[in-house]
């Protein structure tokens, strides 16, 4: 028997025509019914669907067909057009169409409202109108005003509403359609019967409610128009990120320089970048010299000198010289494109809290339809008259539109992750954004995270027969084969003494212990105290000096030649600017902080003492960091902050992994949150923004649910006659529109989020300088 392992693919599509949370649920249900589709997540705020599927069973055509059968359409991206441009064009078209419909509806709705309401509120106005013509004539005038509203601007609700009902998946359009249709056709029937068959309708049922149809449509359109504008504002961060991407590049074709679109650049193309121009794509300098402003990527305020062989990042700014460069990454492979994709992915994913809203929405609209039907039946049975019962029913249908529920979570996620990008914090998903606000302990790696990761050789105690320069030459020659920061510090010290390094053989590194190699036919072994103990060497002769060095926060190292201890070295790694402030800020917010390091206990305690850390795990080997995280997880949720390859297991083990963006690619890949700069004050920003965003979501969901829980009974007439004026469908339409705008406005408050502690120029984010 042969088993075929199918590979899953991910497809992302723009969807048009969605209006509320019920639409989202409907599209997701339709997609999940397609054979081969593993999962589907639809986002109302971004109007995108992310579909995981087996290519052997499904394809894009089948998936798009399922979406269209559900009553929605696919965003079409033309040849040579980016998806972002297509979405922007679709948004502009939607706003323009809504504005046009709103204008037409308003032109007829204003006089309709005046004719319907003013005479009821002001008797002289009624007497004036009756002096001109009988009230039945004015009923015909209101019908004439309602017809263009109902059949033209209202057509969008009629078509989509009936379609949703036909597919047994009622949505916001269905509620508006049922409510306005009931009011319109009942009133039309009253006018026709009273005109051509007088006195066939009881006195209490002769009232018309054209304003409940026409004005409600106008108010719902107003709400959708304002909502579309506000939704555009929630994506300001993404727009700013996209503006960082250059549009053109100067490519060399032989000796001829051509300006082409950025999409036409290919790998290995050679390009010219003049002063004041952006680096078009990722590449390497082939000729020339200049200083490049990389602050938008690294946060470093000072331009970085670029010479032959230096790497360049697309989107950064060339300041003064002319550079000739060769493309090493183009399109979706560039650093900036990957960051943009990361932010888009985070905005498209649903945090766990969204699951509550999804569960409610699945049953919400059918329940509302049931409440509306019950309202109609109860009031008729109570003898209130069919007209009165219908008004209450219409009010229930209009006021219960679940637009706010669908927007509550995704809009906050969009604004929150966008604001995070501005501050140099990249969340990989909405799940990470929610999880971070709940952590009780944050564990920090030491080297390169809390410290600068660039230690210097501070002490060198020689007990050999060799001179200091000769012994340092031998030790540095061995360390030159190692990539460890401590090794680089020793090599750098030798170079500063202008010592020539020797060739080595049989180099071996023992992670967490030390290194060994043969130099000048001698075996040198260099490493921590545990390495010497493993080798069976007695370090007691250096015990007093090593204790003093460790108490000063320095890392003692030992060197042996041919099995004999010959030297004690010490390196010191300075604490990063802002580390103490960041840790204090986290502790002030009730978060425990801890440090994990491979350094010995004395050095670890010295560094921890300077930083105010009380929980320390020292002498932890690289493969033990994940186990250290597990220990802390016994006390609650844990975030781990690291930057090195050896931090990857701990980053993956933690509830939330936070990688320093200036660290290794492996660490970044394993993390849930990425700090684009090396300043760990970004951790405070990430936690504070996570808490603000989740609080914002909770408030939105509370408003969306409480609004319906409170106002649906009111609209049904539970408080009649105490609040009889609240039964008007026009007020229900206004309240429904206000609820969506309120949720969007609340989400947009996150744009005013400010860093809780001062941040240096290095912690600036991606889009502060577009």
């Amino acid at each position: 028997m042969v088993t075929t392992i199918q590979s899953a693919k991910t497809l992302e599509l723009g969807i048009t025509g969605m209006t509320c949370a019920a639409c989202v649920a409907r599209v997701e249900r339709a997609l999940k019914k397609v054979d081969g589709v593993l999962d589907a997540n639809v986002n109302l705020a971004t109007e995108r669907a992310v579909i995981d599927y087996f290519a052997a069973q499904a394809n894009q055509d089948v998936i798009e067909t399922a979406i269209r059968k559900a009553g929605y359409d696919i965003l079409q991206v033309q040849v040579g057009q980016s998806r972002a441009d297509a979405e922007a064009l679709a948004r502009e078209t939607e706003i323009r169409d809504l504005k046009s419909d709103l204008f037409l509806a308003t032109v007829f709705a204003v006089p309709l409202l005046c004719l319907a309401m003013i005479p009821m509120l002001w008797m002289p106005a009624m007497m004036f109108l009756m002096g001109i013509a009988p009230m039945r004539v004015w009923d015909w005038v209101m019908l004439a005003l309602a017809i263009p509203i109902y059949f033209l601007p209202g057509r969008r609700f009629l078509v989509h509403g009936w379609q949703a009902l036909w597919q047994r998946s009622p949505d916001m359009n269905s509620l508006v359609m049922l409510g306005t249709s009931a009011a319109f056709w009942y009133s039309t029937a009253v006018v026709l019967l009273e005109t051509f068959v007088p006195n066939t309708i009881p006195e209490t049922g002769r009232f018309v409610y054209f304003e409940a149809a026409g004005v409600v449509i106008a108010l719902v359109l107003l709400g959708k128009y304002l909502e579309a504008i506000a939704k555009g504002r929630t994506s300001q961060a993404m727009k700013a990120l996209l503006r960082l991407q250059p549009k053109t590049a100067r490519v060399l074709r032989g000796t001829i320089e051509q300006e082409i679109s950025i999409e036409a650049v290919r790998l290995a193309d050679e390009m010219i970048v003049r002063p004041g121009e952006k680096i078009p794509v990722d590449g390497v300098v082939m000729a020339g010299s200049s200083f490049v402003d990389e602050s938008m990527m690294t946060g470093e305020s000072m331009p970085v000198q670029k010479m032959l062989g230096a790497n360049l990042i697309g989107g950064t700014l060339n300041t003064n010289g002319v550079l000739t460069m060769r493309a090493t990454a183009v399109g979706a492979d560039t650093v900036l494109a990957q960051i943009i994709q990361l932010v888009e992915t985070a905005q498209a994913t649903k945090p766990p809290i969204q699951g509550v809203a999804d569960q409610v929405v699945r049953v919400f609209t059918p329940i509302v339809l049931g409440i509306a039907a019950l309202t109609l039946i109860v009031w008729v049975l109570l003898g209130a008259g069919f007209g009165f019962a219908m008004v209450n029913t219409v009010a229930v249908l209009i006021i219960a539109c679940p637009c706010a529920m669908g927007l509550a979570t995704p809009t906050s996620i969009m604004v929150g992750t966008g604001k995070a990008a501005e501050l140099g914090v990249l969340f990989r998903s909405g799940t990470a954004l929610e999880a971070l606000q709940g952590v009780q302990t944050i564990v920090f790696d030491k080297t390169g995270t809390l410290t600068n990761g660039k230690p210097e050789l501070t002490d060198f105690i020689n007990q050999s027969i060799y001179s200091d320069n000769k012994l340092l030459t031998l030790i540095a020659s061995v360390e030159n084969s190692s990539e460890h920061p401590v090794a680089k510090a020793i090599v750098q010290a030798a170079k500063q003494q202008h010592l020539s390094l020797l060739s080595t053989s049989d180099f071996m590194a023992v992670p967490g212990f030390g290194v060994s190699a043969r130099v000048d036919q001698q075996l040198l072994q260099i490493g921590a105290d545990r390495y010497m103990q493993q080798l069976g060497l007695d370090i007691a002769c250096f015990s007093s000096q090593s204790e003093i060095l460790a108490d000063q926060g320095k890392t003692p190292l030992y060197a042996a030649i041919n099995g004999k201890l010959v030297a004690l070295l010490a390196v010191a790694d300075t604490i990063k600017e802002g580390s103490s402030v960041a840790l204090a800020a986290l502790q002030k917010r009730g978060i425990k902080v801890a440090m994990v390091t491979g350094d010995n206990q004395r050095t670890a305690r010295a560094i921890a003492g300077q930083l105010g850390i009380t929980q320390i795990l020292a002498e932890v080997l690289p493969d033990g960091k994940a186990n250290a995280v597990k220990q802390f997880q016994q006390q609650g949720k844990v975030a781990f902050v690291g930057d090195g390859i050896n931090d990857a297991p701990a980053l993956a083990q933690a509830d939330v992994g936070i990688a320093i963006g200036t660290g290794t690619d492996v660490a970044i890949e394993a993390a849930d949150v990425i700090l684009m700069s090396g300043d760990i004050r970004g951790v405070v920003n990430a936690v504070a923004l996570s808490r603000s965003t989740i609080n914002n979501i909770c408030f939105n969901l509370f408003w969306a649910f409480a609004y319906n829980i409170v106002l649906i009974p009111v609209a049904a007439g539970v408080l009649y006659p105490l609040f009889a004026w609240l039964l008007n469908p026009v007020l229900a339409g206004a309240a429904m529109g206000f609820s969506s705008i309120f949720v969007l406005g609340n989400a947009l408050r996150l744009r005013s989020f400010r860093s809780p502690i001062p941040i240096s120029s290095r912690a600036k984010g991606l889009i502060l300088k577009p």
Side-chain angles (χ1 to χ4, degrees):
M1 179 179 178
V2 179
T3 302
T4 303
I5 300 176
Q6 300 185 64
S7 58
K9 288 189 175 182
T10 299
L11 175 66
E12 189 168 352
L13 296 172
I15 300 179
T16 60
M18 294 189 298
T19 55
C20 68
C23 297
V24 171
R26 183 168 154 200
V27 175
E28 287 183 346
R29 282 198 302 271
L31 287 170
K32 289 175 181 178
K33 288 179 181 178
V34 176
D35 290 338
V37 170
L38 298 172
D39 194 20
N41 286 302
V42 180
N43 188 303
L44 180 62
T46 60
E47 297 180 328
R48 291 180 187 172
V50 179
I51 306 107
D52 297 324
Y53 67 99
F54 286 133
Q57 295 177 263
N59 57 49
Q60 185 168 343
D61 290 339
V62 173
I63 291 170
E64 289 185 358
T65 299
I67 293 172
R68 290 191 176 96
K69 284 184 177 179
Y72 303 92
D73 209 346
I74 309 298
L75 177 70
Q76 299 299 321
V77 181
Q78 304 301 323
V79 177
Q81 183 185 42
S82 68
R83 188 178 65 185
D85 290 338
E87 288 177 344
L89 181 61
R91 177 77 67 194
E92 290 173 6
T93 302
E94 179 191 13
I95 292 175
R96 184 175 62 249
D97 291 345
L98 282 168
K99 186 177 181 180
S100 176
D101 283 351
L102 175 61
F103 176 77
L104 179 61
T106 303
V107 167
F108 292 98
V110 170
L112 177 60
L113 182 64
C114 292
L115 283 173
M117 302 301 293
I118 292 179
M120 294 173 58
L121 301 174
W122 193 38
M123 186 57 67
M126 178 177 286
M127 300 303 296
F128 174 77
L129 291 175
M130 291 182 66
I132 298 175
M135 286 307 299
R136 194 55 60 197
V137 173
W138 293 112
D139 288 344
W140 277 98
V141 172
M142 286 190 285
L143 172 60
L145 292 170
I147 285 174
I149 302 174
Y150 182 74
F151 288 104
L152 297 176
R155 185 175 181 274
R156 64 171 66 222
F157 303 115
L158 300 178
V159 172
H160 291 103
W162 277 116
Q163 192 173 33
L165 276 180
W166 181 257
Q167 295 185 357
R168 298 179 183 178
S169 182
D171 58 8
M172 181 274 285
N173 295 299
S174 304
L175 298 179
V176 174
M177 178 272 298
L178 288 172
T180 56
S181 294
F184 178 83
W185 291 112
Y186 174 81
S187 301
T188 300
V190 169
V191 171
L192 292 174
L193 288 172
E194 284 299 296
T195 301
F196 299 108
V197 191
N199 301 319
T200 57
I201 301 176
E203 187 69 29
T204 56
R206 294 178 187 176
F207 297 101
V208 295
Y209 305 97
F210 289 115
E211 79 284 356
V215 179
V216 163
I217 288 174
L219 286 171
V220 173
L221 286 171
L222 174 62
K224 301 305 291 181
Y225 174 67
L226 295 175
E227 180 184 307
I229 294 174
K231 281 167 71 176
R233 289 176 183 161
T234 62
S235 60
Q236 287 299 315
M238 280 305 304
K239 291 177 183 176
L241 271 175
L242 293 169
R243 283 198 298 270
L244 292 173
Q245 293 182 309
K247 300 298 182 185
T248 60
R250 301 177 189 275
V251 177
L252 288 173
R253 303 298 190 202
T255 58
I256 301 174
E257 184 180 316
Q258 296 180 357
E259 186 169 342
I260 64 174
S261 69
I262 202 70
E263 291 81 9
V265 177
R266 297 292 177 260
L267 278 176
D269 275 351
E270 291 192 6
M271 290 159 281
I272 299 292
V273 187
R274 295 193 172 91
E277 294 180 344
K278 289 182 178 180
I279 306 298
V281 294
D282 294 355
V284 63
V285 176
M286 303 295 292
S289 174
S290 182
F291 284 85
V292 175
D293 181 358
E294 296 183 337
S295 59
M296 70 94 175
M297 191 64 62
T298 65
E300 181 57 61
S301 58
M302 296 299 294
V304 181
Q305 187 174 17
K306 300 292 182 179
M307 303 177 71
L308 180 64
N311 291 323
L312 298 170
I313 304 173
T316 56
L317 182 66
N318 182 29
T319 60
N320 57 351
V322 177
L323 293 174
T324 301
M325 64 172 288
R326 176 171 53 84
T328 57
V330 297
D333 295 326
T334 64
V335 172
L336 182 57
Q338 290 174 356
I339 289 172
I340 291 172
Q341 180 60 42
L342 196 65
V343 177
E344 288 180 334
T345 300
Q347 292 182 341
T349 57
K350 295 180 180 180
I353 195 173
Q354 176 66 25
V356 178
D358 290 345
Q359 293 294 330
V360 173
V361 166
R362 286 190 182 96
V363 297
F364 178 76
T365 306
I367 288 175
V368 169
L369 292 175
I371 293 173
L374 185 64
T375 300
L376 181 67
I377 294 169
V378 168
W379 281 115
V380 169
L381 293 177
L382 291 175
F386 185 80
F388 179 86
M390 186 207 64
V391 169
N392 291 355
T393 302
V394 171
V396 168
L397 291 169
I398 298 300
I399 210 165
C401 292
C403 305
M405 293 182 191
L407 295 169
T409 299
T411 50
S412 296
I413 292 292
M414 279 187 71
V415 180
T417 53
K419 186 64 183 180
E422 290 184 19
L423 297 173
V425 178
L426 299 179
F427 288 94
R428 283 191 179 276
S429 66
T431 302
L433 183 68
E434 180 175 347
L436 185 57
Q437 59 87 33
V439 299
Q440 284 92 39
T441 304
I442 299 183
V443 181
F444 291 86
D445 170 52
K446 181 180 76 70
T447 305
T449 303
L450 293 173
T451 63
N452 287 305
K454 296 179 180 179
E456 298 177 356
L457 182 64
T458 59
D459 297 87
F460 184 62
I461 302 172
N462 182 359
Q463 286 190 354
S464 72
I465 61 174
Y466 299 109
S467 66
D468 287 353
N469 282 349
K470 176 61 176 176
L471 183 56
L472 182 58
T473 299
L474 294 172
I475 294 172
S477 298
V478 175
E479 295 286 12
N480 193 41
S481 298
S482 173
E483 291 296 320
H484 196 282
V486 170
K488 292 181 179 180
I490 295 172
V491 172
Q492 183 62 30
K495 289 181 177 179
Q496 289 173 353
Q497 297 294 326
H498 304 290
L499 303 178
S500 299
L501 302 185
L502 306 174
S503 60
T504 63
S505 62
D506 301 330
F507 175 83
M508 183 175 67
V510 183
F513 285 83
V515 295
S516 66
R518 291 191 177 274
V519 187
D520 275 352
Q521 298 182 345
Q522 299 185 83
L523 175 63
L524 271 81
Q525 295 163 311
I526 309 152
D529 52 0
R530 55 180 172 269
Y531 189 35
M532 297 298 112
Q533 291 166 4
Q534 186 184 73
L535 295 172
L537 299 178
D538 186 6
I539 60 174
C541 60
F542 287 122
S543 60
S544 60
Q545 294 104 318
S546 63
E547 288 178 5
I548 293 171
L549 294 172
D551 288 339
Q552 293 173 351
K554 299 175 181 178
T555 301
L557 298 170
Y558 303 86
I561 297 179
N562 296 327
K564 182 181 178 181
L565 204 62
V566 295
L568 170 66
L569 304 85
V571 294
D573 187 7
T574 55
I575 294 173
K576 280 185 180 180
E577 176 191 359
S579 291
S580 298
V581 175
L583 296 179
L586 291 171
Q587 290 170 326
K588 187 177 180 180
R589 284 165 171 74
I591 297 175
K592 300 174 185 176
V593 295
M595 184 178 76
V596 174
T597 178
D599 274 348
N600 62 56
Q601 289 285 354
R602 284 180 175 272
T603 303
R605 282 199 298 268
I607 296 295
Q610 297 177 51
L611 292 170
I613 299 175
T614 56
Q615 297 188 75
I616 312 159
L617 287 180
E619 301 182 21
V620 177
L621 299 179
D623 58 356
K625 288 186 177 180
N627 290 328
V629 170
K630 289 181 181 178
Q631 291 182 37
F632 286 109
Q633 284 177 321
Q634 294 174 6
Q635 305 168 18
K637 291 187 177 180
V638 173
F640 182 85
V641 186
D643 73 320
I645 293 175
N646 59 358
D647 293 327
L651 288 165
Q653 172 63 39
D655 297 283
V656 182
I658 304 175
I660 304 297
T662 52
T664 64
D665 292 341
V666 176
I668 291 172
E669 284 299 316
D672 305 297
V673 183
I674 301 166
L675 307 180
M676 290 305 297
S677 74
D679 194 323
I680 69 160
R681 283 176 286 192
V683 176
V684 184
N685 280 340
V687 171
L689 191 51
S690 172
R691 289 182 173 182
S692 294
T693 303
I694 298 304
N695 288 340
N696 192 277
I697 290 172
C698 290
F699 187 76
N700 276 350
L701 289 173
F702 170 80
W703 169 263
F705 290 136
Y707 161 85
N708 284 286
I709 291 170
V710 171
L711 292 186
I712 288 178
V714 173
V718 170
L719 300 181
Y720 182 84
L722 186 60
F723 295 102
W725 58 276
L726 287 173
L727 304 181
N728 195 312
V730 173
L731 294 177
M736 185 270 287
F738 173 75
S739 69
S740 296
I741 296 167
F742 179 88
V743 163
L744 284 162
N746 186 52
L748 287 170
R749 288 193 306 113
L750 289 170
R751 289 175 59 185
S752 62
F753 175 88
R754 293 290 179 265
S755 301
I757 57 175
I759 298 289
S760 67
S761 60
R762 286 196 225 172
K764 288 181 180 177
L766 289 172
I767 60 175
L768 294 182
K769 297 176 68 177

